[in-house]
Amino acid sequence: MDNTVENEQPLLEVKDLKKYFPIRKGFFKKTVGHVRAVDEVDLYINEGETLGLVGESGCGKTTTARCILRALDPTDGEILFRTGAGLVVDVATLPESEVRPLRREMQMIFQDPFASLNPRMNLLDIVAEPMLVIDGVKDREERTERVAELLRLVGLRPEYMQRFPHAFSGGQRQRIVIARALALNPRLVVADEPVSALDVSVQAQVLNLMLRLQEELHLTYLFVAHDLSVVKHICDRVTVMYVGKIVETAPTKKLFYQPKHPYTAALMSSVPVADPRIRSAMTPLEGDVPSPADPPSGCYFHPRCPHAVDVCSEEPPALEEISPNHYVSCHRVYELELAGIAGIPAAE
Amino acid sequence: MNRTTPILSVRNLKTYFLLDEGTVRAVDGVSFDVVPGQVVGIVGESGCGKSVTIKSVLRIVEEPGRIVEGEIYFRHQGQNGRDGSGANEDFVDLVPLDAHGKRMRSVRGAEIALIPQEPMAAFSPVHTIGDQLVEAILLHQGVSAGEARQRAVERLHEVGVPSPEECVNAYSWELSGGLRQRAMIAMALSCNPRLLIADEPTTAIDVTTQAQILRLLRSLQQQHNMAIIFITHDLGVIAQIADYVVVMYLGRVMETGPVDDIFHDPQHPYTKALLKSIPSVQSESQKFLPTIEGSIPHPFNRPSGCSFHPRCVEFMPDVCNRRTPIPQPINDRQSVSCFLYHDAAGED
């Protein structure tokens, strides 16, 4: 994918990323096929921006995020990351020993704050652990000081340091997870559904915190989510995935008001609008998401697509840049007029 | 309040969990009516008692939970007609009934049906979908096994399962999430219930499937003229499906009213704050969302007086923390429990 943003080099560039999981069967565990969890994914994230990665369950958004962090070894492709020193490294092929220092620059916020905090460690140990493991900060006082600073940063009182996670509510726990992710001053933070396990009234608090931290610390976010209203609120650009492939990438406003891929448009119209006066707008998509182990021919979306023609079932479309920063993978991209959110006609 | 006679009328329901550590007042004085042909949405965050309320209606509250006070009047259509339990003509109070008794069993599943949140957990993995539907039909309707199977196929067809003849022989784990939820709806409808209770039926499924299920429930409701109680934490879903809304917080009803008034003219500070704090795909993105401060209190240290007062922007010292407001009608449609609207009423 060409980097079209002038004067700025992307912080992260993913090229042709693939992650296949083998399906093994029989006594000898012969490989009989592959689950193409991530298939030919191209994306980039500029420094200081938030890229949203959306799609329904099983579309490969979490697998993509995990490959970028090298929590999973990708099958193929390049993950080019520009380190703080200005070097561009390929995370995908880096030897294990060189991945660890990179952890300082990329961190993750997990979905479920009830599962991602060790119940037997207190806050001090949880938040200080990355410093101990990666940076080798042996001095306990130094760590304590830094943890106090981090807790203040995420809006928790440093006096809580000796407490254990069970004493905190979901929203507070997510703040702890964020504090831990920030312990090493990362530049890229991968947030995998950071608010979907939280109550509505607490979601807004955590989203605001993430926005404030981004401003203060000049963070770059990869924001994985399925909730489109949250994505619209927080992201600068959005990538939509379907069965392991990217169908559309565009600046947030463009994607929501002028979607170019029928799947994006269908996704938009499926979001329940919090207004009882806009009801007829919901036009559900027929059918179900196909399995990535046995995807349909041609364009993966064609069996459910209301605009499909013959070519759609025969040839897979390529991801094409139709206007600056707007990438779409659809055969009929230039013919279709699609409505944006809740049937609101496209408006600039 | 309602022109037609309600099919279900919950009056001052109190369901407490008597634990060693103390009493959790999960449902604390909840009242609402359900009219035939109406969708009542109960909305609230975790711990607000929405699930316990409907479990009380179905009389399936687990130990050590108990209904300690209140009445649940249900318009019963039993073959025996009236009963001797002190209820009037065709209304029966479900509270004094034996939860495992014949009477309650003839209501539960037949006249009041439930769509549970997790269809994966609700279906037995070792019985076919058909067997489970047939079991429900045989239990409640005096038909032969052959006819029951026939009806099962009809029901599956009605909820839009593509090939119902095959689906009856399938196991739940062979179906996709959307199909499984459809089969669950078929099962709930198998005995022509007059009241359908849907407990977060779309929380575990994707947006495009959610839109399908919501549309299906709406059309089924119109065809059968059923009453539906729809439980969710998602305000968007409530706006799309409900006619009448009950907003709950920590076991109490904060506000009730027609869906349009709740969304366009909310009165209770909690409802107002909740609506403001959700990011919407419709609204123009603002940088920071308005939030509700703090988090939901733990059920053991429920605040005194109005349980929302520590987070409320309209908090009135010496009033809200002293007495508990009770729901009062403020016009001919909405009813609110808040001292802003009625100074006099309240429990000490």
Side-chain angles (χ1 to χ4, degrees):
Chain A
M1 187 193 285
D2 288 327
N3 174 21
T4 48
V5 177
E6 302 90 355
N7 68 39
E8 214 180 341
Q9 250 210 316
L11 178 70
L12 178 87
E13 199 170 357
V14 175
K15 289 181 182 171
D16 209 18
L17 181 71
K18 288 178 187 149
K19 177 66 191 173
Y20 294 174
F21 294 98
I23 307 168
R24 295 185 209 276
K25 266 203 177 132
F27 183 70
F28 294 107
K29 301 277 178 230
K30 233 171 67 184
T31 304
V32 292
H34 285 99
V35 175
R36 299 171 173 215
V38 175
D39 205 5
E40 296 169 17
V41 160
D42 289 305
L43 53 88
Y44 64 90
I45 311 176
N46 291 321
E47 206 157 353
E49 80 170 348
T50 304
L51 177 72
L53 200 54
V54 301
E56 297 179 276
S57 53
C59 75
K61 51 191 195 298
T62 297
T63 309
T64 307
R66 288 182 177 228
C67 285
I68 288 172
L69 289 165
R70 237 340 244 295
L72 285 171
D73 288 334
T75 309
D76 196 17
E78 288 175 49
I79 301 165
L80 303 175
F81 181 75
R82 196 156 47 81
T83 62
L87 291 169
V88 175
V89 291
D90 184 0
V91 184
T93 54
L94 221 54
E96 201 67 38
S97 59
E98 287 173 46
V99 171
R100 200 161 241 209
L102 263 184
R103 299 269 182 254
R104 200 172 291 138
E105 313 211 13
M106 309 170 148
Q107 283 288 324
M108 186 157 186
I109 298 172
F110 299 93
Q111 171 169 9
D112 187 352
F114 291 87
S116 57
L117 295 172
N118 188 337
R120 290 167 179 245
M121 288 165 79
N122 63 21
L123 251 57
L124 172 64
D125 292 337
I126 289 173
V127 178
E129 199 179 25
M131 294 179 238
L132 197 61
V133 175
I134 312 272
D135 272 358
V137 183
K138 292 278 190 290
D139 183 11
R140 195 175 165 85
E141 230 158 76
E142 191 186 332
R143 292 203 306 263
T144 313
E145 218 164 275
R146 174 84 176 121
V147 169
E149 186 189 324
L150 284 163
L151 290 181
R152 236 174 274 129
L153 189 68
V154 298
L156 291 172
R157 281 200 245 140
E159 297 90 82
Y160 291 165
M161 215 183 279
Q162 301 297 336
R163 295 199 192 174
F164 290 84
H166 71 84
F168 297 91
S169 69
Q172 288 170 320
R173 284 178 196 220
Q174 201 59 303
R175 288 172 194 265
I176 301 167
V177 174
I178 293 174
R180 175 177 61 186
L182 297 178
L184 300 173
N185 290 318
R187 299 165 67 225
L188 175 69
V189 174
V190 175
D192 189 359
E193 305 262 12
V195 296
S196 55
L198 304 178
D199 275 306
V200 193
S201 70
V202 183
Q203 274 191 8
Q205 293 174 8
V206 172
L207 289 176
N208 285 351
L209 173 68
M210 287 184 69
L211 284 169
R212 184 170 60 80
L213 290 172
Q214 180 167 42
E215 264 179 15
E216 282 173 23
L217 306 173
H218 200 59
L219 294 171
T220 308
Y221 289 134
L222 175 62
F223 194 94
V224 179
H226 69 277
D227 187 336
L228 287 168
S229 39
V230 171
V231 165
K232 180 171 181 256
H233 180 73
I234 203 167
C235 297
D236 301 307
R237 288 188 305 121
V238 182
T239 290
V240 183
M241 287 184 74
Y242 186 72
V243 201
K245 285 189 181 270
I246 288 182
V247 297
E248 188 165 359
T249 300
T252 306
K253 236 184 174 162
K254 219 164 195 177
L255 188 93
F256 277 84
Y257 291 100
Q258 295 170 290
K260 285 290 175 195
H261 196 286
Y263 177 65
T264 315
L267 215 51
M268 301 293 159
S269 69
S270 301
V271 181
V273 183
D275 184 349
R277 290 179 191 169
I278 313 175
R279 263 195 185 165
S280 52
M282 277 207 305
T283 41
L285 207 55
E286 296 301 318
D288 284 307
V289 181
S291 155
D294 181 24
S297 62
C299 171
Y300 290 175
F301 186 57
H302 86 262
R304 303 175 77 189
C305 183
H307 310 284
V309 290
D310 289 349
V311 65
C312 298
S313 59
E314 287 152 14
E315 262 179 68
L319 196 63
E320 216 186 315
E321 185 169 13
I322 56 154
S323 61
N325 284 322
H326 195 161
Y327 300 85
V328 186
S329 157
C330 177
H331 288 298
R332 302 190 64 198
V333 61
Y334 295 107
E335 306 162 42
L336 296 176
E337 283 291 327
L338 300 168
I341 36 173
I344 294 172
E348 189 68 311
Chain B
M1 190 163 64
N2 295 297
R3 260 152 265 124
T4 35
T5 349
I7 183 166
L8 181 81
S9 180
V10 176
R11 287 281 155 266
N12 196 27
L13 179 70
K14 292 186 179 174
T15 305
Y16 293 174
F17 287 79
L18 311 165
L19 305 171
D20 294 340
E21 298 95 314
T23 303
V24 173
R25 291 182 285 172
V27 177
D28 199 17
V30 165
S31 305
F32 63 91
D33 288 325
V34 184
V35 175
Q38 197 182 47
V39 180
V40 173
I42 302 183
V43 66
E45 301 176 277
S46 59
C48 76
K50 50 193 195 298
S51 284
V52 179
T53 302
I54 57 125
K55 277 185 180 162
S56 305
V57 171
L58 287 162
R59 299 296 314 276
I60 50 171
V61 179
E62 302 101 347
E63 284 291 323
R66 277 185 52 205
I67 300 176
V68 294
E69 209 185 309
E71 294 91 39
I72 302 167
Y73 291 112
F74 178 67
R75 192 130 57 90
H76 188 39
Q77 227 186 13
Q79 290 91 336
N80 318 336
R82 349 148 100 228
D83 67 321
S85 63
N88 55 26
E89 289 274 304
D90 49 354
F91 265 103
V92 13
D93 184 1
L94 300 182
V95 175
L97 295 182
D98 177 9
H100 308 289
K102 198 175 170 208
R103 194 69 195 278
M104 194 60 224
R105 278 183 292 141
S106 74
V107 171
R108 189 194 303 134
E111 292 190 69
I112 308 180
L114 174 73
I115 304 174
Q117 176 167 2
E118 237 338 319
M120 195 60 189
F123 272 120
S124 157
V126 295
H127 297 93
T128 61
I129 299 284
D131 285 349
Q132 296 178 62
L133 260 98
V134 166
E135 186 189 5
I137 297 169
L138 286 179
L139 196 62
H140 292 293
Q141 294 174 323
V143 294
S144 69
E147 193 172 333
R149 199 156 195 88
Q150 187 60 38
R151 284 199 191 173
V153 174
E154 280 166 24
R155 284 292 180 227
L156 287 171
H157 180 73
E158 189 182 357
V159 297
V161 172
S163 42
E165 288 84 1
E166 283 165 37
C167 183
V168 287
N169 295 319
Y171 291 92
S172 63
W173 40 267
E174 292 178 300
L175 305 178
S176 68
L179 273 186
R180 213 180 290 134
Q181 194 56 284
R182 280 172 196 268
M184 202 75 241
I185 294 172
M187 186 144 144
L189 293 179
S190 62
C191 298
N192 296 315
R194 299 161 70 228
L195 174 64
L196 184 65
I197 297 178
D199 184 5
E200 307 241 10
T202 58
T203 310
I205 54 185
D206 284 312
V207 263
T208 56
T209 320
Q210 168 173 289
Q212 292 172 5
I213 299 288
L214 290 181
R215 172 172 281 203
L216 172 70
L217 281 174
R218 267 239 160 248
S219 77
L220 288 171
Q221 187 249 339
Q222 272 149 20
Q223 277 167 35
H224 296 263
N225 197 30
M226 281 183 298
I228 297 182
I229 300 179
F230 198 100
I231 305 226
T232 181
H233 65 273
D234 188 330
L235 288 163
V237 171
I238 279 286
Q240 291 302 315
I241 195 153
D243 299 310
Y244 196 81
V245 181
V246 177
V247 183
M248 286 182 71
Y249 184 78
L250 276 182
R252 286 188 160 258
V253 173
M254 295 283 124
E255 183 168 2
T256 58
V259 66
D260 199 75
D261 293 293
I262 293 287
F263 279 85
H264 289 284
D265 189 22
Q267 299 296 325
H268 196 284
Y270 175 62
T271 320
K272 286 183 193 170
L274 200 60
L275 283 168
K276 263 188 228 147
S277 70
I278 49 165
S280 150
V281 287
Q282 231 66 38
S283 66
E284 208 43 51
S285 295
Q286 68 261 68
K287 188 74 185 166
F288 291 103
L289 289 166
T291 59
I292 306 179
E293 284 309 311
S295 51
I296 301 168
H298 193 275
F300 281 131
N301 11 336
R302 176 208 284 272
S304 61
C306 171
S307 46
F308 186 58
H309 84 257
R311 306 177 74 188
C312 185
V313 285
E314 311 261 16
F315 169 60
M316 294 179 284
D318 288 343
V319 180
C320 301
N321 51 351
R322 291 273 170 82
R323 287 179 301 147
T324 312
I326 52 172
Q328 293 282 315
I330 53 155
N331 53 36
D332 56 346
R333 301 177 309 276
Q334 274 154 291
S335 127
V336 182
S337 52
C338 181
F339 289 119
L340 287 175
Y341 300 95
H342 42 83
D343 195 36
E347 301 163 358
D348 285 319

